[in-house]
Each structure stands twice: as C-alpha cells, then as structure tokens.
Amino acid sequence: MGDIPDNHPRRASLLARQSLVDAAAEGLLADSAMIAHGRGEAFDYLLSETTSDSAIDAIREVAARLLAAEHPVISVNGNTVVLAGEELIRVAAVVGCPIEVNLYYRTPERVSGLLDRLSEQRDVVAAEASPKGWEGDWQEAVDSVVLFGNSAEHSIPGLNGPRAKCCREGIGQADVVLVPLEDGDRCEALVAAGKQVLVVDLNPLSRTSMMATVTIVDEVSRASSKLLSEVVSGDCLPSQWNNAAALNAALGIISDASVDALSGG
Amino acid sequence: MGDIPDNHPRRASLLARQSLVDAAAEGLLADSAMIAHGRGEAFDYLLSETTSDSAIDAIREVAARLLAAEHPVISVNGNTVVLAGEELIRVAAVVGCPIEVNLYYRTPERVSGLLDRLSEQRDVVAAEASPKGWEGDWQEAVDSVVLFGNSAEHSIPGLNGPRAKCCREGIGQADVVLVPLEDGDRCEALVAAGKQVLVVDLNPLSRTSMMATVTIVDEVSRASSKLLSEVVSGDCLPSQWNNAAALNAALGIISDASVDALSGG
C-alpha cells in the first residue's frame, strides 16, 4: 500500500487497513474479515471518522456495565485483536476481567495465533506506565488478565457447529459480554441466553446493532481508547439505556452527512 | 463461507463475495480489493441492493456515450473481471470496443492472470446465443473483442509510477472510457486528459463519483446487465448530463433509508 505521509488526513484509517492486510497474510483472519472491515470503513466515512456524542454516551454506559458486572468478559475476534488488542488488554486490566478469543469461523490455528498475538500485546502493555488516573500495580493488573480461547467446552444455546463454541469460564459464565464486531446470530443468541451484550459496530442498521443491549456506533480502536478513559475514571453507573435512541442518533449523522455532502456542507 | 440457501434474500451478494474470496486465493486481486468490495457492500446495503431510477438514467447515458464514441474502451480491474467480466464482454461485443486490463496496483502476474480469465470468459460468451434483440454473427462479434493489458507502453499524464501505465491502443487513444470501480486520482487524470470517464461506483461521495463525467451509482454486475440491454436497444443519444444531480439522487436514497430504518419503514 506504500508509505503513508504523516499528515495524510486519513492516516489512521490507512494504517489500520495495512495492519489487517499484514494479519491476513499471517493467517490470523478469516477470508471475509477484510470485506467486513471495508464495510466498516464505508460507515466510518459517513460518520466523518469521529466518535459522536451519542457514541460517547454509549461508551460511558458500557464502562458502567462492565464495572458493575459480576462476571464481565471481553470477547475478541481477529479484526478486534489486530485493531484494538492492546487497548482492550488495558481495559481488561482496569476492569479485572478475562479476554476470550472467540471466532465465528473457528479454527484451532487462528485461535492459537490470536492468543499468541494477545500474549505479546499483554507483555508490551505490562511494561508500560499505568494509564493516567489509575492507581495500583499496573504490571500485576495486566499480568492478571487471563486469556481464554483454546478450550471451548461450552456451547452458546441456540447455535450449532463451531460458531456455538465458547469457554465455560469466559463467555459461558459471563453476565456481561463486551464483544466488538459480533455477528448478528451470535449477538441474538447471547442476548437470549440472558447476558448483557455490549457491542461496537459501525453499521447502525446491522442486526448486531439492533439486537445488542448497548451498541457503540464507532470504530473499534477509537472506541476502545475512550472506553479505557471511562473505566479508569469509573464514575458512572448503569442507566435505563435506550439503545434505539442511540442508533437513531447515528443514523441521523449519516443522513445529515448524505444531505450536506453535495451542498458543500 | 458455507452453502447459501437458494431462497436467501442476500444470495447474490453472498455469491459475489465468495467469487472474490476465491479469486483472491488465486492471486488475481490486490490486497485491498476485498476491503474495497466491503465498502461497496455497505453502500449497496443502504441502497437496498437495487438499481435506482437515477442509476437507470445514468446507465442509459453511458450506453449512449459508448455508442457515440469514436474510440470507446472498457477498462477493467480484478474485482470488475470477477464480478462482471462476462457481461462486459457482451457489452464490448455489441459496442464493438476493446477491453483493457488496467490495474492500480499493477503486477505482470495479475495482469496476465486477469487476461487469461477474460479470455476464458470470452470463449464462454462466444458459445452463447446472441442477446435478445441483437442481430448479427454473435460469435464473430465476441471473438472480435480485443483484450489489451500486457503491453503498457503509454502513460496517463499527471500520474507517476505503475499506476500511470496504460495501453496506447486502449485507454491511450480512447475518447470515452468506461472504467467501473476506478480510483479517484486516476479518474481525475483521465478527465484532465480530455476523455469522457464513465464509472460505476456504489459510493456517491467518493472522489471518483464526483470527478467522473457520468457516474452509475450501482453494483457493477447489476449495472452491467442493464447496460447490455441499453446498448442492444441502442435508442439513446448523449445528453447534457448533470452528474451532480445523479449523485444527489443516490444520496437522497441513502438518507431516506437511514431515516426510515428505525421507524419501521
């Protein structure tokens, strides 16, 4: 894809794309992962590649629900690990929850490869200074983030085949699951299993967005950075969340962008 | 990606995706081709995966301009060959114009691979009955479609490196270029070189869409099928085309879809 100038207005987006191209070459992603990313790029373009006020509200709600949960877990797929793995390890360290590699197109090779990548990312994060405003032993907190995924002896009720599999101690026993970039069927099954499902999805019209308990309509790495700030500050409580209103707000932005585009707005 | 049921509402979209996954495995596509396809999928979703009335108008205009041109050419990249190669060979046979494989990320291997694929597609199309309403020797018309791409001794002015290269007898001497799925820089350079540039792009906000002489905001295989009908009927003349109005119409559809989505429309 060539060198990207430091001042390129879409530098972050182009670097993210290159990370995925590299990860695909390493065999870490499913065939359709790049297509899914491209869909996200299109919606992010319509959202001006910025985190909206309503997305910030959703991020605060997700932070509150993770902190209030009895058994929270962060479920990640290939794209999430590549785009936001380090940031979500920081979030897990602050929340004190495990991370589970859980794939729609599950293969043992990709689960292992992604667990290796997460383990490397955890080492990098453990060696850093703690996030601003957080107090405690950062290295210990990060090293305590358990990585699940290899053993998948539990099944999500209502799903069949490899896509049903999950870890009993991870998603299996969780009351609250943060699962960025989830598939619609699985989101629905997790909700039906009585869990709070917190998702990050750039398409406010996707079935995942509409089924989830709380939907953050934002790019996963931007949302994860802001989520880290919110769990560190920790000054929010779960609300009576109106997810349809949040999705409507995102659709309003897309609609306005469409109308403004050719009128020079 | 598994079997897709015959009655799946998004069957065409899923089959197209699978064709691209297969072509990528064969090395026919650039790394970013799948991402580009995913972006298109998102916009097509917002356009309800149907060809709009304003897209039909644009397709008629493209047909008229191809038929009125002195030296028309159809320029194709990997995604176009995979998704609409056969249909565009039919269009070229009716118009009587060559097809040039012209790639943004040009490699000799991919150019050769795509020319081989087009040559196979041309054999398939030549063995078919002629399109309804077309009179003449179909096999001869199809066999006469010249495939350019291997020699790229000409340069598009204003561009540097491999992405500037084209064939003198193809894009080089053309007055009208139908180039589905083109990059913004190259679209601009072709327009600056005095050519009429006719594009197919699902994103009405892309620089390609905004720079082109005529933009068909539609999925490339749907648009190519309808373009074939229009060049066969051949009863249209080039107009004073207002491309901004066409893009506005597409944006209006996206905007309405966004507004309707959560109100149950």
Side-chain angles (χ1 to χ4, degrees), chain B residues 14-58:
Chain B
L14 296 175
L15 287 174
R17 189 188 293 179
Q18 188 58 51
S19 304
L20 283 174
V21 168
D22 294 343
E26 292 174 47
L28 290 178
L29 306 182
D31 288 335
S32 55
M34 306 276 269
I35 293 177
H37 183 70
R39 283 201 302 276
E41 277 190 358
F43 283 102
D44 204 17
Y45 189 85
L46 292 171
L47 292 164
S48 306
E49 296 180 350
T50 55
T51 303
S52 67
D53 290 345
S54 65
I56 289 279
D57 290 342

Side-chain angles (χ1 to χ4, degrees), chain B residues 78-204:
Chain B
N79 287 24
T80 304
V81 170
V82 171
L83 296 172
E86 290 190 6
E87 209 67 318
L88 289 173
I89 288 167
R90 294 181 192 107
V91 170
V94 172
V95 171
C97 74
I99 295 181
E100 174 171 343
V101 173
N102 193 275
L103 307 180
Y104 188 84
Y105 297 109
R106 185 184 186 87
T107 70
E109 295 74 21
R110 282 197 290 112
V111 171
S112 295
L114 290 167
L115 284 169
D116 289 348
R117 174 70 70 97
L118 275 172
S119 181
E120 291 163 18
Q121 291 174 333
R122 186 175 54 185
D123 292 344
V124 169
V125 171
E128 293 172 346
S130 64
K132 200 173 165 183
W134 189 87
E135 289 177 15
D137 184 332
W138 182 243
Q139 187 177 344
E140 189 186 318
V142 175
D143 287 340
S144 303
V145 174
V146 180
L147 305 178
F148 290 121
N150 267 332
S151 64
E153 65 294 347
H154 195 76
S155 284
I156 304 169
L159 295 175
N160 297 313
R163 67 194 60 172
K165 292 192 173 176
C166 68
C167 298
R168 179 167 290 117
E169 295 174 284
I171 293 174
Q173 71 164 14
D175 54 340
V176 175
V177 186
L178 169 61
V179 53
L181 317 184
E182 183 52 290
D183 158 77
D185 278 352
R186 298 216 303 179
C187 181
E188 185 170 3
L190 290 168
V191 170
K195 300 176 195 300
Q196 293 183 41
V197 183
L198 319 175
V199 303
V200 182
D201 196 320
L202 277 159
N203 177 1

Side-chain angles (χ1 to χ4, degrees), chain A residues 123-210:
Chain A
D123 291 344
V124 169
V125 171
E128 293 171 346
S130 63
K132 201 174 165 181
W134 189 86
E135 289 175 17
D137 184 332
W138 182 243
Q139 187 176 343
E140 190 186 316
V142 175
D143 286 340
S144 304
V145 174
V146 180
L147 305 178
F148 290 122
N150 266 332
S151 65
E153 67 292 349
H154 196 76
S155 285
I156 303 169
L159 296 175
N160 297 314
R163 66 195 58 172
K165 291 192 173 177
C166 68
C167 297
R168 180 168 289 116
E169 295 173 285
I171 292 174
Q173 71 164 13
D175 54 340
V176 175
V177 186
L178 169 61
V179 53
L181 317 184
E182 184 52 290
D183 158 77
D185 278 351
R186 300 216 302 178
C187 181
E188 185 170 3
L190 289 169
V191 170
K195 300 176 194 299
Q196 295 183 41
V197 183
L198 319 174
V199 303
V200 182
D201 196 320
L202 277 159
N203 178 1
L205 299 172
S206 77
R207 214 151 60 78
T208 298
S209 285
M210 300 218 198

Side-chain angles (χ1 to χ4, degrees), chain A:
Chain A
M1 219 159 280
D3 288 337
I4 302 160
D6 283 345
N7 61 352
H8 192 292
R10 303 193 55 251
R11 180 175 165 82
S13 172
L14 296 175
L15 287 175
R17 188 189 294 179
Q18 188 58 51
S19 305
L20 283 174
V21 168
D22 294 343
E26 290 173 50
L28 290 178
L29 306 181
D31 288 336
S32 56
M34 306 275 269
I35 293 178
H37 182 69
R39 282 201 303 277
E41 278 190 358
F43 282 103
D44 205 16
Y45 188 85
L46 292 171
L47 293 163
S48 306
E49 296 180 351
T50 55
T51 303
S52 67
D53 290 345
S54 65
I56 289 279
D57 289 343
I59 290 167
R60 285 209 184 102
E61 185 68 23
V62 164
R65 287 173 185 244
L66 284 174
L67 291 169
E70 197 162 340
H71 295 293
V73 65
I74 302 176
S75 173
V76 294
N77 68 3
N79 287 24
T80 304
V81 170
V82 171
L83 297 172
E86 290 190 7
E87 209 67 317
L88 289 172
I89 289 167
R90 294 182 191 106
V91 170
V94 172
V95 171
C97 74
I99 295 180
E100 174 170 343
V101 172
N102 194 276
L103 307 180
Y104 188 83
Y105 297 109
R106 185 185 186 87
T107 70
E109 295 74 21
R110 282 198 291 112
V111 172
S112 295
L114 290 167
L115 283 170
D116 290 347
R117 174 70 72 97
L118 276 171
S119 182
E120 292 162 18
Q121 291 174 334
R122 187 175 53 184
D123 291 344
V124 169
V125 171
E128 293 171 346
S130 63
K132 201 174 165 181
W134 189 86
E135 289 175 17
D137 184 332
W138 182 243
Q139 187 176 343
E140 190 186 316
V142 175
D143 286 340
S144 304
V145 174
V146 180
L147 305 178
F148 290 122
N150 266 332
S151 65
E153 67 292 349
H154 196 76
S155 285
I156 303 169
L159 296 175
N160 297 314
R163 66 195 58 172
K165 291 192 173 177
C166 68
C167 297
R168 180 168 289 116
E169 295 173 285
I171 292 174
Q173 71 164 13
D175 54 340
V176 175
V177 186
L178 169 61
V179 53
L181 317 184
E182 184 52 290
D183 158 77
D185 278 351
R186 300 216 302 178
C187 181
E188 185 170 3
L190 289 169
V191 170
K195 300 176 194 299
Q196 295 183 41
V197 183
L198 319 174
V199 303
V200 182
D201 196 320
L202 277 159
N203 178 1
L205 299 172
S206 77
R207 214 151 60 78
T208 298
S209 285
M210 300 218 198
M211 294 301 308
T213 315
V214 181
T215 303
I216 300 170
V217 183
D218 197 12
E219 193 279 325
V220 66
S221 71
R222 282 202 310 270
S224 299
S225 294
K226 293 187 164 61
L227 179 59
L228 178 62
S229 308
E230 294 298 332
V231 291
V232 167
S233 78
D235 57 359
C236 35
L237 289 170
S239 73
Q240 291 290 329
W241 179 250
N242 183 339
N243 207 45
L247 298 180
N248 258 318
L251 286 168
I253 294 168
I254 290 175
S255 172
D256 290 348
S258 307
V259 171
D260 288 352
L262 283 181
S263 57

